């Protein structure tokens, strides 16, 4: 049986919880996120505790602290993915390079997959004209 | 002399699109970067506009190799939200399909790895065995890729006694052939030369980056969701976690070969102990109450996570999919550093990447 427990936390608790989990040798299964109907972020940090998942969830925030320094690439990739797909940012996360598609493909960075198609086409055409 | 060697997104050595940049000094790779997203189809977003059965059909198409894993994990997540108890026979059939899928996935990977190594006779041999497994899956489900064996609340197709006996006979032949293949794989000099000491991912690096599945087990991390957090009816079967400590490409070959034997063991037990009774709770569109759950399954490439949020309506409120390749791909740059450009293709392939899953 895989239990699932959801625990609501504030953005200030994200880093202390990550540090506590890392110290206890807990595996960060994934960071999930979605945007609610009011346009606010809903980010869950899923930790494998015993046979189940403890889901530490922050609601209503679009800027959160990065836990890259604690969980390394295991946190960096999910944070970069979320940052590029949704209007949610992580303070302290290195965003100098893209994860989704190379940074020299289309000017600008981040959120390429939520950019309207027309805008993408005009960017590409603009680049070709240069 | 320093060069930047781009690989992909479309390249003969890549089965699926991904882009890697290798920063080299002569032949040696000094640094590497990976860029993903070329296969993004917006499946998570689409699933918020589909009912639960339509989503089941769609998520089975996230991947062409571990399609059953996606459908099963999604179904299990819904069943936990709804508190459904799946009939035991249905659970057994799901496990049999999952382990057949693991077998054909590992054979596929072995074939690709052997092809990259240049050992094409062994590549043909392993894919010949894979064909026998694909035949079983076709007999079982009617399909070779998207089996449609899962519904919310059980399995969609039963296994009759003739089919059960036939699968057991086929497994006998596959195992015999696998023994011969394993013997050659683990003793062949050309395989050893191309894989031993190549693409090392230390246990510490694997744990630090968060590798999962056979990739982590090949770095001596004994993690396997089937054992660590049992689900379905995996508790009923006797099998071992396949772990190997050499942390290189050879270790990844050994782990997958050992896992093939364990999968055959599980399928045999499941067919021998197949309980009587119904296989599902009905095949209509299920009513899922308000709630959310996250479920994990040990897919052929490692831990597959589904998180589903339901508002009690007809469609999913949110479906979030995270696949093993997303956890294993960040290890690629670490493995590439210090190796030669000629080994880059094999090292990238050694995680058994599925970019179709990862980009979803």
């Amino acid at each position: 049986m895989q239990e699932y427990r959801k625990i609501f936390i504030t953005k200030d608790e994200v880093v202390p919880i990550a540090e506590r989990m890392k110290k206890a040798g807990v595996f960060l299964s994934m960071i999930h996120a979605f945007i609610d109907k009011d346009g606010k972020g809903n980010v869950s940090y899923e930790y494998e505790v015993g046979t189940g998942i403890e889901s530490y969830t922050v609601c209503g925030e679009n800027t959160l602290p990065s836990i890259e320094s604690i969980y390394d690439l295991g946190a960096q990739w999910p944070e970069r993915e979320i940052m590029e797909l949704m209007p949610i940012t992580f303070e302290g996360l290195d965003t100098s390079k893209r994860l989704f598609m190379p940074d020299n493909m289309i000017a600008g960075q981040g959120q390429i997959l939520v950019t309207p198609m027309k805008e993408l086409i005009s960017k590409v055409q603009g680049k070709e004209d240069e | 002399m320093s060069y930047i060697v781009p690989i992909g997104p479309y390249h003969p050595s890549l089965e699926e699109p991904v882009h890697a940049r290798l920063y080299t000094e002569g032949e040696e790779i000094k640094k590497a970067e990976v860029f993903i997203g070329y296969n993004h189809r917006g499946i998570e977003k689409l699933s918020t506009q589909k009912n639960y059965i339509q989503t089941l059909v769609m998520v089975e198409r996230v991947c062409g190799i571990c399609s059953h894993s996606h459908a099963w994990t999604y179904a299990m997540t819904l069943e936990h939200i709804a508190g459904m108890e799946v009939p035991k026979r249905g659970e057994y059939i799901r496990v049999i399909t999952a382990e057949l899928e693991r077998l054909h996935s590992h054979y596929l990977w072995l074939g690709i790895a052997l092809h990259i190594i240049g050992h094409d006779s062994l590549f043909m041999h392993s894919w010949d065995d894979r064909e026998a497994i694909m035949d079983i899956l076709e007999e079982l489900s009617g399909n070779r890729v998207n089996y449609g064996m899962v519904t919310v609340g059980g399995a969609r197709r039963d296994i009759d006694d003739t089919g059960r006996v036939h699968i057991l006979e086929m497994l006998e032949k596959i195992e015999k052939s696998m023994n011969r293949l394993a013997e050659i794989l683990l003793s062949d000099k050309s395989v050893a030369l191309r894989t031993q000491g190549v693409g090392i991912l230390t246990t510490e690096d694997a744990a630090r980056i968060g590798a999962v599945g056979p990739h982590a087990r090949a770095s001596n991390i004994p993690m396997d969701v089937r054992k660590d957090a049992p689900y379905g009816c995996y508790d009923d079967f006797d099998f071992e976690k396949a772990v190997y400590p050499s942390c290189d490409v050879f270790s990844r070959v050994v782990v997958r070969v050992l896992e093939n034997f364990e999968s055959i063991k599980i399928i045999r037990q499941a067919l021998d102990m197949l309980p009587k009774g119904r296989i599902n709770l009905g095949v209509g569109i299920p009513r899922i109450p308000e709630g959310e759950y996250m479920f994990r399954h040990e897919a052929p490439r490692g831990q597959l996570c589904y998180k589903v949020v339901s508002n009690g309506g007809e469609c999913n409120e949110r479906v979030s999919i995270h696949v093993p390749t997303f956890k294993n791909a960040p290890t690629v740059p670490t493995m590439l550093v210090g190796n030669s450009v000629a080994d880059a293709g094999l090292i990238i392939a050694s995680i058994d990447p599925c970019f179709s899953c990862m980009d979803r």
Side-chain angles (χ1 to χ4, degrees), chain A residues 14-35:
Chain A
V14 170
V15 171
I17 288 168
E19 282 170 342
R20 177 161 56 84
M21 291 293 182
K22 184 71 181 175
K23 207 174 165 190
V26 172
F27 186 72
L28 173 68
S29 186
M30 194 37 69
I31 305 174
H32 287 129
F34 72 96
I35 302 298

Side-chain angles (χ1 to χ4, degrees), chain A residues 64 66 68 76-77 79-84 86 88-101 103 108-111, chain B residues 35:
Chain A
L64 291 163
S66 169
E68 179 193 354
Q76 192 209 73
W77 270 49
E79 286 180 352
R80 284 171 72 187
E81 184 193 48
I82 292 166
M83 190 276 294
E84 292 184 21
M86 300 170 199
I88 295 173
T89 51
F90 293 89
E91 287 167 340
L93 178 70
D94 179 10
T95 56
S96 59
K97 293 264 164 95
R98 267 207 202 118
L99 179 64
F100 280 80
M101 301 184 189
D103 39 12
Q109 58 161 251
Q111 303 186 335
Chain B
F35 300 93

